[in-house]
Structure formats: C-alpha cells, structure tokens
Amino acid sequence: MEILDITRIIHIFAGFTAFFAAPIALIMKKGGASHIQIGKAFVWAMGIATATAFINSLFIWIPFLIMLSVFSFYNVLIGVRAIRFYRGEEPGTLDNVIHLVALLFVAALFGYGIYGYATAPQNFVWILSVVFGALGMFGIRKNYRMIRKEHDRSTWMRFHISGMLSGYIAAVTAFSATSLDFLPGLVQWLWPTVLFPPMIA
C-alpha cells in the first residue's frame, strides 16, 4: 500500500469523525466533560483531515485543495482560540501568525481563481476559488479586527461557536463534494456555504 493510499484512508476516517462529532458536541451541555471531549475529538479530526488533504493535494498537485484545506482548519483554530480568550488569555503573536498565514492562503486562492478564469473558464473550479477566497479574506479581516478589541465572555463564547460551526461547514462541504454526486458540481460545493451561515448567525 502506497503512502497516498494510507493518508487517503486516514483522511476519510478523520473526515467522518469530524462530520459526526460536531453535531453531537452541539447538542450536549456546553462546558460539560462530554462536550469538551467530543469537541476535542472534532478539533483533532479536523486537524488530521486537513493535514492529510494538504499532503495528498501536494503530491497529486491540486492547488485549489491545498489552499482550501488551510482555510478550513483556520476556522476551527479560531474557535479553539476563542475559548482561550473566554478563559482570560490575551490575543498575542500566535494569533497574528494564524491570521497572517490564513490570509496568505486565501489571497492565493482568490488569485488562483482569477488565473483559472483567464486560462480555463470552462472549469468551474475558478468560481469556487474566487468565492471561497473572497469570503475567506473578508472573514479573516473581520475576525482579526474582532480579537484586537476587548470583549466580555459571552462575546468570546459566540466567537467560539461561530468558529467551530464554520469549520464544520468545511466537513459538510467535503462530504457533499465527494458523495452527493446527484447534485450539480457547483451546488455540491456551495450549498453548505449558502445554507449554514444564516443559521449560525
């Protein structure tokens, strides 16, 4: 079995773990031991799914998925950081690095979409790249401005929920893109982004 076969199996297992862990954590009592443990499982599963997607896309060379995988985990990571802020930790250098790296990747994703439109407009990947890249730049800028301000604990808790659920959108999107073949290509990729943010809000 080749290394890419192994990472692909790990990716699928981690992705399904994240897909089912998030709704379970959502319905549990917040702050309870079970919620925390399931939440940690979701974070680790998303981290492993992101790492394996990055590795696979790097070896097969799918730039779109390389950049998108980083943005997907960014949302989970800021959800984790929000809990630290909720407990009294102050945003610092680590948060600057997280936002900067994520911004570089989504800006590259947006640029990749523009390049795709100029060179292969018949391939709808350019549309996905522009949409996710633009949403990413807007969201990262908004999040960064938010963490530079003083907030009460309830605001940080909402920030935590928003980050985790935004990360879950990535898991649902991956499931849809790989499994819901009866949907048109663009719909497969975009319906979670269209449907879930208003529900999160």
Side-chain angles (χ1 to χ4, degrees), residues 46-91:
M46 285 296 294
I48 293 170
T50 296
T52 50
F54 188 93
I55 292 171
N56 289 347
S57 301
L58 191 62
F59 275 92
I60 303 173
W61 192 241
I62 308 176
F64 168 72
L65 292 181
I66 292 174
M67 294 175 281
L68 188 62
S69 64
V70 173
F71 176 53
S72 299
F73 190 63
Y74 159 80
N75 288 300
V76 177
L77 200 53
I78 62 169
V80 173
R81 293 298 295 159
I83 284 295
R84 300 291 180 88
F85 304 150
Y86 175 85
R87 293 170 179 167
E89 182 177 326
E90 295 292 329

Side-chain angles (χ1 to χ4, degrees), residues 67 103-119 126 129-134 137:
M67 294 175 281
L103 182 61
L104 290 174
F105 272 88
V106 296
L109 182 61
F110 183 82
Y112 182 73
I114 300 299
Y115 174 78
Y117 173 72
T119 57
W126 76 265
S129 300
V130 168
V131 170
F132 291 137
M137 288 188 289

Side-chain angles (χ1 to χ4, degrees), residues 128-149:
L128 298 175
S129 300
V130 168
V131 170
F132 291 137
L135 290 175
M137 288 188 289
F138 173 80
I140 291 169
R141 177 177 178 271
K142 179 181 177 182
N143 291 338
Y144 182 75
R145 293 179 66 181
M146 179 178 176
I147 68 170
R148 308 319 299 178
K149 300 177 181 178

